[in-house]
Amino acid sequence: MKRIQMSVVAALLCSLAFAQEAKITLDKDSCSFDEVIKVTFESDFKPDSVNWPTLNGFLNSRGPNTMSSVKMTNGNMEVQYAKEYHIRPAESGMLTISSPEYFYQEKRIMAEPRTLFVSPNNMSEEELKEQLYLDFIHNGIKPKGTKRVTFHEDKGYIEVFGELGWKIERRLTEKELKKIGGLK
């Protein structure tokens, strides 16, 4: 029995010792300017840490959704780790999606970057400005340091967007609430 247990442990360690791979999957290779696409960052290992890329040229419509699984097949352990975003191009042309920088057992692992062709938009300059304004409002992720004022019941707050999302910076004073003309 001990031999079987040792064999299973050895098989698990061997399966983890093989080369780890990462990849970027897109649900399409080209799209129109106003189309939402799904991008998935995948790896066959659970990383120790990850530096996520900035998705320059894209707006986040939804996500991230994180998925992970471990499965045993014929004594081999298969690990899958993925983070999925639904993004929309903010510009047309050839846009590149860079790989996250995965760290696993003191190794740095990266996927091949993916290129997406975005067909030009047919919007007027005024329509484009309005679309970019609406995108900023509806995009769940804001540039770090973005501030907003929120109201709840008879109080107001200033929030700032940081690493982990929105964080309350401070509560508004009564004088500030009156000046804003907010709560009645």
Side-chain angles (χ1 to χ4, degrees), residues 111-173:
E112 289 293 319
R114 292 292 307 264
T115 303
L116 177 73
F117 174 73
V118 181
S119 59
N121 72 65
N122 295 325
M123 295 179 179
S124 68
E125 193 170 315
E126 191 61 36
E127 290 172 322
L128 182 58
K129 283 181 183 176
E130 180 66 17
Q131 183 63 49
L132 290 174
Y133 171 73
L134 291 172
D135 288 342
F136 179 79
I137 290 172
H138 297 293
N139 189 357
I141 296 178
K142 305 287 186 228
K144 290 178 189 156
T146 300
K147 293 187 178 191
R148 71 179 179 190
V149 176
T150 57
F151 299 98
H152 178 69
E153 296 176 356
D154 62 344
K155 295 173 182 59
Y157 304 91
I158 295 178
E159 297 177 303
V160 65
F161 194 82
E163 291 287 333
L164 302 174
W166 291 103
K167 181 180 176 188
I168 294 176
E169 185 174 79
R170 69 177 180 87
R171 201 164 125 185
L172 294 174
T173 64

Side-chain angles (χ1 to χ4, degrees), residues 7-8 11-12 15 71-78:
S7 296
V8 169
L12 287 174
S15 68
K71 151 171 88 166
M72 292 292 291
T73 309
N74 297 328
N76 292 326
M77 185 167 74
E78 296 176 32

Side-chain angles (χ1 to χ4, degrees), residues 59-118:
L59 302 168
N60 186 23
S61 289
R62 192 172 73 230
N65 297 322
T66 304
M67 301 150 282
S68 62
S69 68
V70 177
K71 151 171 88 166
M72 292 292 291
T73 309
N74 297 328
N76 292 326
M77 185 167 74
E78 296 176 32
V79 177
Q80 291 211 309
Y81 178 77
K83 197 168 257 202
E84 176 184 281
Y85 292 85
H86 288 80
I87 58 176
R88 192 160 48 87
E91 54 193 68
S92 56
M94 295 300 282
L95 300 179
T96 300
I97 298 173
S98 300
S99 171
E101 191 176 20
Y102 298 99
F103 294 94
Y104 179 71
Q105 296 181 351
E106 299 182 22
K107 289 192 303 187
R108 178 178 169 262
I109 302 163
M110 294 183 73
E112 289 293 319
R114 292 292 307 264
T115 303
L116 177 73
F117 174 73
V118 181

